Structure formats: structure tokens, C-alpha cells
Amino acid sequence: MDELALLKRSDGPVTRTRLARDLAALGLGDGDTVMFHTQMSAVGYVAGGPETVIGALRDVVGERGTLMVTCGWNDAPPYDFTDWPQTWQDALRAEHPAYDPVLSEADHNNGRLPEALRRWPGAVRSRHPDASFAALGAAATALTADHPWDDPHGPDSPLARLVAMGGRVLLLGAPLDALTLLHHAEALADAPGKRYVDYEQPILVDGERVWRRFHDIDSEDGAFDYSAFVPEGTEAFEIIGRDMCAAGIGRRGTVGAADSHLFEARDVVDFGVAWMEEKLGRGRGPGG
């Protein structure tokens, strides 16, 4: 979409002042810890781009507040590289750079904002190569420190800590299927057929590059088979998000030109776990 089209869509440039005003009207406030997802094209022509969005968010949450994004690692080796010809595997193992929280780019599929926030002065990024998060503000270190190597979306993950801190989730023009926090619900849900992945990636240990094996829910193709409840061509998280909104959870408003949502993190996880266990059936674990 060109700049003129964006200008018409948003009734003029979307400035830092306008964004801050709209975010406050949506319910974001001083001292909030908020994980945010942004679709810039939906917001309109943002004068200054990601810098303006981050500035407006910081204006609203203030010095006591914290911003958080999901990063991942754009250049991570694919899960299935162990199926490649042996010579290819050997070359990758010999020279693929290790994940570096400072240097490794955030996954481009997550948009421009995660990369912008993780590079912001004072921001910190978690140590997990495949499921890293970045945060900026008063609770940034508490959210990201010692990110569990295994089950990085589960207990004691940055997502779990966001919930424990009474954090919130903002969809700034992003669709409901962008609710990364629902991966935490998947990790917690006691339902049969949960799918996991095991994979290897290089990390730095005391300055030395080493390959480590990781175990996690399958956050790429889905931790569960949702096909019986989700129409073809629709994302499961979109359906869960719609049902959540229909149940009266969260606030909805316009920020810039973007249809936006603000949720309490605990509400998202509680609803997601209940939805998954109701639709998929409870498992046979303790209490199941």
C-alpha cells in the first residue's frame, strides 16, 4: 500500500501524539506491562514508523511500564536440517553462526516492530534461540531472564511471567491470530494429542559456539489438531480470539486507523486453556 493510500485510510498522518491518545482511550495506562503485536499498514501512515509507535507506547506506559514483543530468530536453521544430505548437515554444523541475542535478527514474519524494539537502547532479549522475546522497561529483565531452554512457552517462560505480573496484550491493528500468548495456553492445556518438536540449534556457552537440543510444543504447525473446529483456511487462534471477544473479554477500539484490541493476559490464557480442553477433551494427566 502506497503512502497516499495510507494517508487516506487514516485521515491524515498518524503521529506520536495521536497514537498515545488513542492507546490511552483504549485503556492502556501508566505502569502497564504489555506485550504488543502490530500491523503497521492497518494503522495508516505512521509519521516516523516503528520509532513513533514505540515512542507512543512508552509515553502511555511511562517509566514504571514495560513493553514486550515476540522475536524468534530469523536465520535459525530449519527444524528438519537433520534430514538433509550428510555433507549439507556437516557444513551447517561447522559454520552456522550461533544465536546471539544482540546480533541475531528477529523473525521477519513478526513484522518491523520486534526488530525495532530489540535494538532499542536499554532493551533486553531472552536467551532462547527459537522462541526469544525482547522487552524494554521496568520489568524487562524479570520477564526475559533465564528463559527455559525446554518448554520455552510453558511455566516460567516470559509468557508465564507476563501473566503472573498482571500483564496485558495489545493487538495494534494485528489480527486475532497474532495472539502468541495462546501458545502458553497450548503448553498448559491438559488435552490429548498434544504435538511436540525436538530440534537442534547453535548457541553461545561461555563464548563458545555449541549445538544444543531443544524440546517444545509445535508452535509452527500447531500444538493440537484443530481441524474439526476450525474452517479450512482459517487459523485456530483466530477462532479462539473471536470466541473470546464474543464472550466479552477484552476491549476494542481504533488506534490510528486500526481496529485494535487490548486484553488482560490472564484472561487470554484462562479462556484459551478452557477452550482447548473443552473442544479437544481433557487428557489423562494428574487431575484429568
Side-chain angles (χ1 to χ4, degrees):
M1 188 177 294
D2 61 29
E3 292 180 3
L4 180 59
L6 288 171
L7 281 165
K8 291 179 177 177
R9 179 173 181 172
S10 59
D11 191 26
V14 178
T15 62
R16 179 168 171 167
T17 300
R18 178 178 173 184
L19 279 173
R21 182 187 68 232
D22 290 351
L23 288 165
L26 183 61
L28 197 66
D30 183 68
D32 279 350
T33 296
V34 60
M35 180 178 183
F36 67 98
H37 306 270
T38 308
Q39 184 172 302
M40 290 286 287
S41 61
V43 180
Y45 176 73
V46 179
E51 179 182 346
T52 294
V53 175
I54 293 171
L57 286 162
R58 296 187 78 196
D59 289 344
V60 178
V61 303
E63 292 296 322
R64 298 185 303 113
T66 305
L67 308 178
M68 175 172 152
V69 290
T70 180
C71 287
W73 179 15
N74 191 67
D75 298 302
Y79 290 167
D80 64 354
F81 86 89
T82 52
D83 296 331
W84 293 359
Q86 191 61 50
T87 55
W88 292 29
Q89 293 185 46
D90 293 344
L92 193 76
R93 288 187 184 280
E95 296 200 38
H96 195 293
Y99 166 74
D100 186 323
V102 176
L103 297 178
S104 299
E105 289 187 9
D107 189 338
H108 295 178
N109 290 326
N110 293 327
R112 299 170 64 192
L113 268 297
E115 179 67 9
L117 186 82
R118 77 157 192 90
R119 294 167 64 97
W120 200 274
V124 292
R125 186 180 184 184
S126 67
R127 67 182 184 177
H128 198 286
D130 196 61
S132 66
F133 294 85
L136 174 69
T141 298
L143 282 166
T144 58
D146 299 323
H147 191 170
W149 294 123
D150 293 319
D151 201 12
H153 294 96
D156 202 33
S157 66
L159 296 176
R161 296 174 196 174
L162 178 71
V163 174
M165 290 179 186
R168 314 179 85 182
V169 180
L170 170 68
L171 299 182
L172 182 52
L176 290 165
D177 65 27
L179 279 167
T180 298
L181 186 56
L182 285 172
H183 286 312
H184 182 51
E186 291 181 317
L188 298 181
D190 177 20
K194 190 178 295 190
R195 301 187 291 215
Y196 297 90
V197 288
D198 291 280
Y199 54 92
E200 297 177 69
Q201 293 186 348
I203 60 172
L204 293 171
V205 177
D206 297 327
E208 181 181 354
R209 185 178 67 95
V210 298
W211 283 83
R212 193 188 192 284
R213 193 167 182 83
F214 301 90
H215 178 76
D216 190 16
I217 58 169
D218 189 348
S219 61
E220 184 172 330
D221 295 325
F224 295 105
D225 179 2
Y226 296 107
S227 59
F229 313 99
V230 177
E232 187 175 352
T234 305
E235 296 291 335
F237 286 4
E238 173 76 20
I239 299 300
I240 297 172
R242 289 181 197 171
D243 289 352
M244 186 166 58
C245 292
I249 295 172
R251 303 181 63 166
R252 185 175 183 178
T254 302
V255 179
D259 185 24
S260 301
H261 295 83
L262 182 65
F263 300 101
E264 304 302 321
R266 185 170 297 280
D267 290 346
V268 172
V269 173
D270 287 350
F271 186 91
V273 169
W275 191 98
M276 293 167 196
E277 292 182 348
E278 177 186 346
K279 300 291 187 183
L280 302 167
R282 286 183 61 83
R284 297 180 179 276

